[in-house]
Structure formats: structure tokens, C-alpha cells
Amino acid sequence: MKIVAKKKLWKYLFWLGPFLITVGLTVGLVSEQWELIPLAFLITGIVISGLGIIWQSYETNWWNRRSTQAGTNALVATLAVLAILGLINFLGTRYHLRADLTEAQLFTLAPQSRELVRVLPQPVKVWVFDINQNPQDRELLENYQRQSSKFKYEYIDPQSRPGLAEKFGVKDYGEVYLESGDKRQLVQTINENERLSEIRLTSRLQQLTNSNTAKVYLLQGHGERQLSAGKGAISQAVQGLGDKNFTTSPLNLGETSKVPQDAAVVIVAGPKRGLFEGEVKALQEYLNRGGNLLLMIDPNTDPKFNSLLQEWGVRLDNRLAVDVSGGSVVGLGPAAPLVTEYGQHPITKDFGNGNSFYPIARPLEITSVPGVQATPLLRTKPYPNSWAESDLQSEKLEFNADKDLKGPLTLGVALTRKQPAKSASTPQAAPTPSPLPSPTSQTKTSPTPSPSPKTPQALPLPSPSTQSKASPTPPASPAPSASPAPTPSPTPSSQTATESRLVVLGNSDFATDGLFQQQLNGDVFLNSVTWLSQQDEQPLSIRPKEPKNRRITLTTTQGNLLILSSLLVLPLIGFAIAVIIWWKRR
């Protein structure tokens, strides 16, 4: 009897475990503080409950039962499935893995858009004033929002919130606005036929978040590509610069004889006639004072840039770049080299093995020059796929070992040159008081180049507006008016070093209207100008592309024929085949 009573006592004692667990949970939830007391109750209750389960199973031989083993296996399998599902949901919530199988990557943001949103300096919000929420537009906005918590969007009904609509100046349904701080900008107006464009949204986002505007001058007067729309024009390229917050203006050095001081970049796009000697010197002086120049020189032209390019170690080859492997793919023949190999440079860092092509291009020869750092940007395939053809009149392109040059050929190069630091001297004060020079006075750089004899080390890139400045040094103590004037002695001022940048491309056709939108052609041009402007906050990547219109436009006759064939002809053919097969097997 004592043994039976002792067993019952242990049985009731083990019920103390669930009671202590309940007490611990109650104390913790009510106080909202999981300190020593609730944790002590919980741990003690769990230990007692565990011992009770072990004791009960030992007494009843519960683990050896067949039903127990089957139930345990089912419980373990259920818990394993729940754990796997929970892990999948956790990973799916924390990490977004999406596969876009469309040809034009319609549901994936372009690298430039992703990079721009990830480095947003301040929160931005997209306001869509429309009643209907198009799934395609929402998907695009969701893609932006996934890149950064600083990007938000909201759909607004203008009638339900007229005050907000009046604040933005909404005039019609479908207007999309971008807001950042106290800045607001209209992106576009969407409707059933025009959906929200990634190109416009990224462009407006870049303009809104980047308050710096850089001035780009395009040289004119020597047969260069015209800036307005027309045959062989670069109006799309100029529009692309405007979308990236650049201000463009034509430049005629024959009239001004000097590059304006506010020029961040000067572009020379395909001149057909040679420049005057004074114009070339003006561009040399511009580079020597820390300017940035983009040269796009076509074959069979001599713009008289030999003296300028010689200082940078670049020579224009008069032969024609031929690519027998890529011309047929592009559809422009072997005289349009297809480039898939790019140099390790910020301009082309995100290109991978993407395609860009250059109809009627000339190779470049690069030699080492002290103080100049050169990086090839565009390289053709090796021989026998590409070579430099010297016989431009022959209709049949064949490699001639005596005259032609084997590939790979360099079609573009980016160069940098550190300008030496200039020390300015300011005379000490004379007895007669004279006004001190303005703190923003600038020291002019000598027009003659003076490259450093050593290869420039990797230094932080200067700001686009960085120039050599002289800071006036005030006298330590003013001399009395009765004393003779001392001889001015030079006092060294702060020293700064500017950097000149030059990009030379052996082709300008790739940036013309029609070809600018193809593949990576526009990215090569825009990234080159952005890098030249020395605006390091601007992303250098692949910009978004417009989706291709794959709609099939049918006439009324074609539509009726399609309906008749699909609803009548094809079913009758299938029925006839079924009857024939049945007759043969009968």
C-alpha cells in the first residue's frame, strides 16, 4: 500500500510542472518583463514536466509500444515539414529572389535605376493621382521600393483628397509626381495606352536628387553631327544628356577663341573638316587648366588633332576596323565591329559582355606617356575575326599581312592626367592700404602642358569645380605709414592639383539617332560624358531601356480571316483527321 501511495504522490507531484509553466507565462505577459522570477518559474516547470514524462514512460513502458513509435514518427515528420515551411517563409520574407525570363527584362530594374535608388541621399515619394491601380505600374514601383527604404509610393484619389491634389497642381487623372523634401516634379501622365515608364521615373529621380548641373559644350563649325533631329544627328544623345541633368550648348571656337570657364565637358562629335590651329590650341589650354574632352573621330577625316593627341600618347590610325564575326549579326556588314570586351574602367564596369557596335570605325594606337594614365575601353575580337583594313577602296575585304593590322583593335580609350600643383605668392602689405584679393580668386594654369615625370598615384578624384586656388595671406602686422615700403616677399599659398580627363573614340556613328538606343551604344556615350564631368555622385551603369512594342496590328480582313480559321477551319480539320483514323481502325 505504501508503494502504491508513493507512486500516486509522484504522479500528482509532476502536475506541478504545467502549473509552474502557467505561472511563469502569466507573470511575464502581465508585467511585460521577462526577468528572474518568471524565468525561474518557467525553467522549473519545464524541468519537472520533462522528468514527469520520462518517469511515466518508464513506468508504463510507453516508448516500446508500437503505437508510440508510429505516433512519434508521424510527429517528427509533421514537425520537420512545419520547420521547412517556416524556414522557406523566413527566407522568402528576408531575401527576395526573382527570375525575370522576359527578353527585355520588363520586370527587372536596370542597373542604373537600382544603383540610384540604393544611394538616395534623402527619402523620396511617388504620388500617383489615379483611381485605378494598374498591376504593371504597381509592380514597377514595388521593384523600386525593394531597393531602398527611402523610396515610397502612394495612390491618391484626387476627388477624395482635393487639398493634396491642389498642392501638387493636379489637372487630370493619371498624373504621377515625384517628391523629395520641398521639391516636386511631374514624371508623366499615365493612361490605358501609356504605362509608367522606368526611363522617365529614373531620369526625374536623378534630376530631383542631384542639384548639381554641369554644362556640356558641343563643338560646331567643322561638319560635326547636328544637334537637332535629322539624318545623322545626335539629338537623342543630347536629350539623354538633358535627362541626366546636363545643360548642353553649341560651341564655335572660331567666334569665341576660348572654351568658356563653365564648361564641364567639351564634345567633338565627328568633325569632317580640320580645325584651325587656334581652335586646337584653345582645346589644349582647356585641358591644361583641368578641362575634360570627348573626341569622336571617324575614319577618312583629319581634324588636325595630332599635336593635342600626341601629348596624351594617342594616335589615330587611318585604317578601317573590320569585324567579320559581328557585322552579319548587327546587319551592317563587317565594317561595323561588334564589341563585347570592355576595359576595367568606371565607364564600362557594368557592361559585362554586352553588345555595342560602331559602324565605320578607326582603331587607336596607345603609347605610354609620363604622367598620363590610359585605359582601353573598347576592344574588338582577336584575329582572324577582326583586323585593321588599309585598302578602303576594295569591295572585298581581305587581310593583307604587309599593310593590315591584326586584331584585337582598340576603338576607345579613357585617359587622365594630373595637373601639377601651382603655388601662388602674395606680396605683403605696403604702407598704403590696399584691398585684399577676393578669397575666390583663381590661379590661372599655364597653357603649355607640363606632365609629371612620374606615373600619377591613385588619388581621390577632384570635384568638377576643383581648380587651383590662391588664398591671400594677410600681413602679420601692418607697417606704419612713415616707414619705407618693404620689398614684397612671396608667401606660399595652399596648393591643389587638378585632373584633366580625355576620352577618344574612333567612331561617332554609334551615337547618332536610331543607333543611340541600340544595345549599349547610348550607355557608352552617356557614361563617358558623366565620367568626364567628374561628378562622382552620378551612377555610371546601364540605363533603363524602353520595352519593345510586340503588338500585332491586324486589318479588319486579317482579323476576320483569323477568327474564321480558328473557329471553323481548324476544328473541321481536326474532326476530319479523327474520322479518317476511326475509319482505318474500324
Side-chain angles (χ1 to χ4, degrees):
M1 293 293 294
K2 291 183 178 181
I3 297 176
V4 173
K6 188 176 182 180
K7 287 184 178 181
K8 289 183 177 180
L9 179 63
W10 279 106
K11 181 178 180 181
Y12 291 122
L13 183 63
F14 284 128
W15 279 103
L16 185 61
F19 173 76
L20 293 177
I21 293 175
T22 305
V23 172
L25 291 174
T26 304
V27 172
L29 293 174
V30 171
S31 64
E32 297 183 354
Q33 294 181 356
W34 298 93
E35 296 180 349
L36 180 61
I37 295 177
L39 291 178
F41 278 113
L42 284 174
I43 294 174
T44 305
I46 291 173
V47 171
I48 294 176
S49 299
L51 292 175
I53 293 174
I54 296 174
W55 175 266
Q56 187 70 22
S57 62
Y58 175 76
E59 288 292 326
T60 60
N61 200 21
W62 185 69
W63 288 105
N64 294 328
R65 294 179 183 177
R66 194 168 183 180
S67 60
T68 302
Q69 295 178 357
T72 303
N73 292 335
L75 179 62
V76 171
T78 303
L79 293 176
V81 171
L82 293 176
I84 293 173
L85 292 177
L87 181 61
I88 292 175
N89 280 273
F90 170 76
L91 295 176
T93 304
R94 188 162 186 175
Y95 304 99
H96 299 281
L97 180 61
R98 297 159 53 90
D100 189 354
L101 303 180
T102 59
E103 178 186 1
Q105 298 293 292
L106 297 178
F107 305 102
T108 305
L109 292 182
Q112 185 186 81
S113 302
R114 295 197 301 267
E115 186 175 351
L116 182 63
V117 177
R118 287 171 184 171
V119 297
L120 283 174
Q122 57 185 351
V124 298
K125 188 170 184 178
V126 175
W127 300 87
V128 184
F129 292 91
D130 200 358
I131 300 177
N132 301 319
Q133 300 185 16
N134 184 272
Q136 182 178 340
D137 296 342
R138 286 186 61 90
E139 178 70 19
L140 178 61
L141 294 171
E142 287 287 346
N143 286 339
Y144 276 94
Q145 190 168 263
R146 291 189 187 100
Q147 308 304 318
S148 174
S149 59
K150 295 182 179 180
F151 186 95
K152 302 294 182 182
Y153 74 92
E154 185 177 352
Y155 277 84
I156 299 296
D157 183 1
Q159 291 186 350
S160 62
R161 299 182 65 180
L164 185 61
E166 183 179 357
K167 175 183 175 182
F168 281 86
V170 177
K171 299 179 180 179
D172 196 4
Y173 284 99
E175 292 187 2
V176 181
Y177 285 86
L178 191 63
E179 182 182 32
S180 178
D182 57 350
K183 300 179 181 178
R184 302 181 189 90
Q185 191 172 14
L186 176 65
V187 178
Q188 69 177 108
T189 302
I190 58 177
N191 50 52
E192 294 182 357
N193 298 324
E194 183 178 1
R195 305 316 318 163
L196 186 60
S197 170
E198 180 188 353
I199 294 180
R200 297 186 184 180
L201 184 55
T202 298
S203 175
R204 299 298 181 268
L205 186 63
Q206 190 169 16
Q207 293 176 5
L208 195 65
T209 57
N210 180 25
S211 58
N212 298 327
T213 57
K215 193 65 174 291
V216 176
Y217 286 92
L218 296 102
L219 192 65
Q220 297 289 288
H222 316 89
E224 290 88 355
R225 302 286 180 178
Q226 68 179 42
L227 309 185
S228 58
K231 184 178 180 180
I234 56 172
S235 63
Q236 291 180 346
V238 173
Q239 178 62 39
L241 292 175
D243 293 339
K244 291 181 73 66
N245 222 21
F246 288 102
T247 304
T248 58
S249 295
L251 173 64
N252 193 326
L253 288 177
E255 298 175 353
T256 61
S257 72
K258 187 178 181 180
V259 178
Q261 292 291 338
D262 63 345
V265 182
V266 174
I267 300 176
V268 183
K272 294 181 174 59
R273 297 181 295 273
L275 278 68
F276 292 114
E277 183 179 354
E279 294 176 309
V280 177
K281 287 184 177 181
L283 293 176
Q284 288 177 315
E285 293 176 1
Y286 170 66
L287 287 173
N288 291 336
R289 69 172 189 254
N292 309 286
L293 184 61
L294 171 59
L295 299 178
M296 300 188 295
I297 312 300
D298 295 314
N300 291 327
T301 59
D302 184 13
K304 307 299 182 183
F305 282 134
N306 294 335
S307 60
L308 184 150
L309 295 176
Q310 186 176 3
E311 299 175 2
W312 294 76
V314 180
R315 190 183 72 85
L316 300 173
D317 198 314
N318 292 324
R319 288 170 286 199
L320 178 68
V322 174
D323 182 3
V324 295
S325 64
S328 58
V329 177
V330 178
L332 299 176
L338 182 67
V339 173
T340 58
E341 181 181 347
Y342 304 93
Q344 297 296 324
H345 192 272
I347 295 176
T348 55
K349 64 182 178 67
D350 290 332
F351 286 4
N353 59 350
N355 297 325
S356 61
F357 56 96
Y358 307 86
I360 316 298
R362 69 193 309 167
L364 307 175
E365 181 181 334
I366 314 300
T367 57
S368 178
V369 172
V372 176
Q373 183 177 358
T375 304
L377 296 177
L378 313 170
R379 295 182 68 85
T380 64
K381 298 177 179 64
Y383 179 81
N385 291 325
S386 72
W387 69 86
E389 177 64 43
S390 58
D391 189 1
L392 305 182
Q393 305 300 327
S394 176
E395 296 181 358
K396 187 177 182 180
L397 298 175
E398 293 181 347
F399 178 75
N400 190 331
D402 298 334
K403 301 179 181 180
D404 300 339
L405 177 65
K406 292 183 178 180
L409 308 173
T410 299
L411 303 184
V413 62
L415 308 104
T416 59
R417 182 174 69 187
K418 295 288 184 181
Q419 300 297 329
K422 295 293 182 180
S423 61
S425 59
T426 56
Q428 295 188 5
T432 305
S434 59
L436 294 176
S438 173
T440 57
S441 60
Q442 298 175 349
T443 301
K444 295 183 179 179
T445 310
S446 173
T448 56
S450 54
S452 173
K454 297 180 181 181
T455 304
Q457 298 179 356
L459 298 175
L461 296 180
S463 173
S465 59
T466 304
Q467 293 180 341
S468 178
K469 297 183 179 179
S471 58
T473 306
S477 60
S481 58
S483 61
T487 304
S489 58
T491 303
S493 65
S494 59
Q495 295 184 354
T496 57
T498 58
E499 181 183 73
S500 299
R501 295 184 177 183
L502 174 66
V503 172
V504 184
L505 304 174
N507 177 259
S508 66
D509 284 292
F510 79 98
T512 56
D513 295 352
L515 299 183
F516 179 82
Q517 301 287 355
Q518 300 295 324
Q519 302 296 327
L520 298 177
N521 286 14
D523 299 297
V524 172
F525 176 84
L526 295 177
N527 284 7
S528 297
V529 177
T530 304
W531 177 77
L532 286 171
S533 68
Q534 303 191 29
Q535 297 188 78
D536 299 330
E537 70 277 3
Q538 289 236 31
L540 293 175
S541 189
I542 301 176
R543 60 196 176 91
K545 303 291 193 299
E546 288 285 3
K548 295 181 180 179
N549 184 6
R550 299 188 178 277
R551 297 176 181 175
I552 301 177
T553 304
L554 301 177
T555 62
T556 304
T557 303
Q558 293 173 334
N560 294 334
L561 181 61
L562 181 63
I563 294 175
L564 183 64
S565 61
S566 58
L567 298 181
L568 182 61
V569 177
L570 293 179
L572 288 178
I573 293 176
F575 180 74
I577 294 174
V579 171
I580 294 173
I581 294 175
W582 171 79
W583 181 263
K584 288 185 176 181
R585 291 183 177 181
R586 184 175 59 90

